Amino acid sequence: MRVFIQDDILCIEKDDVPPFKKGGSVVRNSYFWALKSISCYAPREDNWEFDQEVWIALARMLMAFTESGYLGYSETCLKFPEDTPIPDVLRSVSSYL
């Protein structure tokens, strides 16, 4: 998922937000709701935002979904622009574009 940090808020780009699909995979829909539940702002058709206070929970959740084997690494990895330092708490679930 492509992300960026703005004013100490982590943003997942709207095109990379996992979709909710009625009747879809239970794991994918659980992933959608888990991410949405810890976001501070998660509108339809816009970037989702996460306060610094939940970054450790976000990292743990992404790692758990990655290790489950049901979702691909590309779906659970935070991809930062190369000119952005990756915060320590998110380093284990992040890479550069």
Side-chain angles (χ1 to χ4, degrees):
M1 294 181 290
R2 292 171 297 151
V3 298
F4 60 94
I5 296 176
Q6 183 175 357
D7 299 325
D8 293 328
I9 302 285
L10 177 80
C11 301
I12 297 176
E13 294 195 20
K14 65 181 177 183
D15 294 336
D16 290 357
V17 169
F20 174 80
K21 295 181 181 175
K22 190 172 183 177
S25 162
V26 172
V27 173
R28 290 184 192 285
N29 286 342
S30 296
Y31 181 52
F32 169 88
W33 288 113
L35 281 175
K36 188 172 178 80
S37 72
I38 65 169
S39 68
C40 63
Y41 183 65
R44 285 184 177 213
E45 310 301 323
D46 205 356
N47 299 332
W48 283 16
E49 300 177 358
F50 298 83
D51 291 322
Q52 269 188 315
E53 290 81 14
V54 301
W55 289 1
I56 192 162
L58 176 63
R60 289 176 179 171
M61 186 174 57
L62 292 174
M63 186 62 68
F65 275 99
T66 300
E67 290 175 349
S68 75
Y70 289 107
L71 299 175
Y73 183 72
S74 64
E75 296 174 276
T76 57
C77 178
L78 302 175
K79 296 176 181 134
F80 284 86
E82 286 189 24
D83 61 345
T84 302
I86 297 174
D88 288 341
V89 70
L90 297 174
R91 190 164 290 140
S92 65
V93 292
S94 301
S95 69
Y96 286 111
L97 289 173

